[in-house]
């Protein structure tokens, strides 16, 4: 039996996602006087941070580089806020700007109706209609699970980092961590601190940089230098300083890519690892770095270099992916990977009132940039429409005052959006 859905007309944009990107877009729109409807599939704001992150997570960048538009972090927060502090900031942000998302509204389909000129966004119990659609579901909507031969044979638990909470669950156990990005490094460090024995798989080359240089954020230094120096020169300076402070990481199994860290991030979105202590554990041998996995066995794994080890558990630190292609229909603005075809800084606007925020591969700084542009663009359109409606309503009132009263069947009713 087909479910009957309630139809909701949105006077302003529909925003899909109540994470940092969706909240930023809604806040900037409110400053333009534009209302919006925020649809969120979970039951809270910032659900990725609340439900899919490990307990010891902290921001890797200083708080001033992670602020959303129009509202700073509380002054008493530390330089690198914890997961719980960041979530409280998100909740306070939503409250401050009066953002009340429609929770438990997972979007099944969104498509543009060319005949009416409106977007139709369908959830399990509602159909939302609007002239504008803002995709804010993010680059990290779904866990990315790699296909590794034999995974189904493994006798122990296999967990993605989206459900990993603490190394306390793996005390005195031998754990294979697949993926050597920031999550893989942090999870391995957390396992060490709970007396587990982590084996870290470095499937690909990776840049490891100190979180700070000379007492300042490495990323912050890079952003400042890029205002004055060419990108590749900045990359060379970063790598020179990293090699001086951390040493050559290649000899520990962490081979650096040939492309510099900032250039690589801009081109592919691959973020360099900002070390918070894992490298010291690797150097001491407490975290063992392994080459790529060839096959998972019932009791462990075989590696591409011929080595074989037994493990009690496997943790997949393999990242996330966009889910936009599963629900946005009839639109070629996004690639098969769920990213805008047009790169930053021009990937925030599509056709027919379609916008995207949070797909820049530049973190919260990119989100803020997108949110301001979107709000300004829609705000101008909104004011033009409002002026036309005001003019139309004024003409109707004037006609009523100067013309004989029409019969009830000929009265014109104008709705102001």
């Amino acid at each position: 039996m087909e479910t009957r859905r309630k139809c909701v007309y949105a006077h302003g944009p529909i925003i899909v996602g109540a994470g940092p990107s969706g909240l930023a877009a809604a806040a900037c729109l409110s400053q333009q006087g534009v209302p919006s409807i925020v649809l969120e599939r979970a039951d809270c704001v910032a659900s990725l941070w609340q439900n899919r992150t490990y307990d010891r997570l902290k921001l890797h960048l200083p708080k001033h580089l992670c602020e959303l538009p129009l509202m700073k972090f509380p002054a008493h927060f530390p330089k690198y806020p914890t997961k719980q502090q960041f979530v409280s900031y998100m909740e306070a942000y939503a409250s401050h700007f009066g953002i009340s998302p429609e929770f438990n509204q997972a979007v099944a389909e969104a498509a543009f109706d060319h005949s009416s000129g409106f977007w139709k966004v369908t959830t399990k119990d509602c159909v939302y209609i609007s002239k504008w659609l803002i995709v804010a579901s993010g680059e990290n909507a779904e866990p990315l699970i790699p296909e590794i031969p034999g995974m189904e044979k493994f006798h122990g638990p296999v967990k993605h980092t989206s459900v990993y909470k603490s190394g306390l669950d793996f005390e005195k156990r031998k754990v294979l961590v697949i993926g050597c990005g920031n999550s893989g490094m942090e999870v391995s460090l957390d396992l060490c601190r709970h007396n587990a024995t982590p084996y870290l798989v470095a499937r690909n080359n990776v840049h490891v940089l100190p979180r700070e240089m000379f007492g300042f954020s490495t990323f912050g230094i890079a952003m400042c230098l890029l205002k004055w120096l060419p990108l590749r020169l900045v990359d060379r300076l970063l790598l020179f300083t990293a090699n001086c402070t951390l040493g050559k990481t290649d000899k520990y199994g962490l081979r650096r890519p040939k492309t510099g860290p900032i250039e690589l991030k801009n081109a592919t979105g691959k973020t360099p690892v900002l070390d918070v202590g894992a490298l010291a554990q690797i150097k001491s041998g407490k975290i063992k770095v392994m080459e790529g996995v060839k096959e998972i066995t019932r009791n462990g794994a075989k590696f591409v270099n011929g080595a074989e080890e037994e493990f009690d558990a496997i943790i997949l630190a393999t990242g996330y992916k966009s889910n936009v292609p599963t629900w946005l229909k009839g639109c070629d603005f996004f690639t098969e990977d769920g990213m805008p075809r047009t790169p930053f800084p021009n990937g925030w606007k599509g056709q027919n009132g379609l916008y995207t925020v949070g797909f820049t591969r530049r973190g919260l700084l990119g989100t803020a940039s997108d949110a301001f542009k979107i709000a300004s663009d829609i705000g101008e359109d909104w004011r033009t429409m409002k002026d036309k409606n005001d003019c139309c309503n004024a003409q109707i009132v004037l006609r009523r005052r100067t013309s004989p009263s029409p019969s009830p069947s000929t009265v014109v009713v104008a709705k102001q959006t």
Side-chain angles (χ1 to χ4, degrees):
M1 182 177 179
E2 186 176 350
T3 303
R4 296 189 64 180
R5 294 181 172 90
K6 179 174 66 174
C7 188
V8 178
Y9 174 73
H11 292 287
I14 296 170
I15 302 173
V16 179
S21 298
L23 297 180
C28 289
L29 285 165
S30 72
Q31 292 297 102
Q32 295 279 341
V34 181
S36 61
I37 290 180
V38 181
L39 304 181
E40 169 55 46
R41 63 179 177 176
D43 60 357
C44 60
V45 301
S47 62
L48 176 65
W49 281 83
Q50 297 215 47
N51 302 328
R52 296 188 177 188
T53 51
Y54 37 90
D55 294 342
R56 78 177 303 274
L57 179 64
K58 292 183 178 181
L59 294 182
H60 285 80
L61 303 179
K63 60 183 180 182
H64 73 276
L65 295 176
C66 299
E67 292 170 342
L68 293 188
L70 309 171
M71 180 173 160
K72 295 181 178 297
F73 276 96
H76 68 275
F77 274 23
K79 186 176 183 179
Y80 298 97
T82 65
K83 163 187 170 177
Q84 291 76 18
Q85 289 169 327
F86 185 74
V87 169
S88 72
Y89 169 69
M90 290 289 100
E91 292 174 337
Y93 188 88
S95 176
H96 178 78
F97 291 102
I99 303 168
S100 299
E102 299 292 328
F103 293 120
N104 300 307
Q105 290 293 297
V107 174
E109 181 175 299
F112 183 73
D113 183 354
H114 290 272
S115 61
S116 67
F118 286 86
W119 285 92
K120 178 181 176 182
V121 182
T122 305
T123 68
K124 64 179 181 180
D125 48 18
C126 287
V127 176
Y128 297 87
I129 306 296
S130 174
K131 183 181 177 183
W132 305 276
L133 174 65
I134 301 175
V135 179
S137 51
E139 305 164 354
N140 302 317
E142 301 291 345
L144 182 59
I145 309 297
E147 294 184 5
I148 302 176
M151 186 74 79
E152 71 285 353
K153 301 176 185 176
F154 186 66
H155 73 286
V158 179
K159 292 186 176 184
H160 189 270
T161 48
S162 58
V163 295
Y164 175 94
K165 295 302 178 185
S166 169
L168 188 63
D169 299 329
F170 302 91
E171 189 174 6
K172 297 181 180 179
R173 300 173 77 180
K174 193 174 174 183
V175 183
L176 179 66
V177 180
I178 300 178
C180 63
N182 280 297
S183 293
M185 289 283 200
E186 284 225 35
V187 165
S188 296
L189 180 59
D190 190 49
L191 289 166
C192 274
R193 292 176 176 174
H194 287 90
N195 297 317
T197 305
Y199 282 65
L200 177 66
V201 176
R203 299 181 299 158
N204 303 304
N205 297 347
V206 61
H207 283 297
V208 181
L209 304 176
R211 184 168 66 172
E212 293 189 345
M213 294 179 174
F214 315 113
F216 297 96
S217 161
T218 297
F219 184 79
I221 291 174
M223 293 302 98
C224 289
L225 291 176
L226 284 171
K227 296 178 181 178
W228 310 100
L229 301 174
L231 185 149
R232 292 190 177 181
L233 178 56
V234 172
D235 271 343
R236 285 199 291 270
L237 291 171
L238 289 179
L239 291 175
F240 174 78
T241 306
N243 287 333
C244 290
T245 56
L246 301 179
K248 299 283 187 178
T249 60
D250 294 55
K251 61 183 178 182
Y252 303 109
L254 302 172
R255 296 181 298 275
R256 292 193 183 278
K258 293 182 179 178
T259 307
I262 304 301
E263 183 179 3
L264 186 65
K265 178 171 173 53
N266 290 349
T268 67
K270 186 175 181 180
T271 304
V273 171
L274 296 177
D275 181 54
V276 293
L279 191 59
Q281 301 298 326
I282 290 172
K283 291 178 179 179
S284 70
K286 292 183 179 179
I287 298 175
K288 297 173 174 57
V289 178
M290 307 296 291
E291 292 189 35
V293 175
K294 180 180 180 181
E295 178 187 359
I296 300 296
T297 64
R298 185 181 184 282
N299 296 315
K302 294 179 181 178
F303 299 91
V304 293
N305 64 353
E308 185 172 356
E309 294 284 346
E310 292 186 355
F311 296 101
D312 299 305
I314 297 175
I315 296 173
L316 303 174
T318 46
Y320 295 83
K321 62 180 179 180
S322 165
N323 68 359
V324 175
T326 66
W327 56 267
L328 185 62
K329 306 300 181 182
C331 173
D332 64 354
F333 184 75
F334 285 85
T335 67
E336 293 180 358
D337 294 329
M339 297 295 292
R341 295 185 187 278
T342 306
F344 180 84
N346 300 313
W348 58 277
K349 183 178 181 179
Q351 295 181 327
N352 302 318
L354 176 67
Y355 297 86
T356 71
V357 57
F359 292 85
T360 63
R361 290 173 169 160
R362 283 163 174 77
L364 295 175
L365 289 176
T367 288
S369 173
D370 282 350
F372 279 124
K373 291 175 183 176
I374 291 169
S376 177
D377 199 62
I378 293 179
E380 184 176 345
D381 199 8
W382 169 269
R383 286 185 288 274
T384 300
M385 289 179 58
K386 188 174 184 299
D387 289 343
K388 288 181 179 179
N389 286 333
D390 288 344
C391 181
C392 180
N393 289 338
Q395 290 175 352
I396 292 171
V397 171
L398 181 62
R399 283 199 299 269
R400 286 179 176 175
R401 288 178 176 175
T402 58
S403 302
S405 297
S407 63
S409 62
T410 60
V411 172
V412 177
V413 179
K415 280 189 176 181
Q416 183 171 349
T417 53

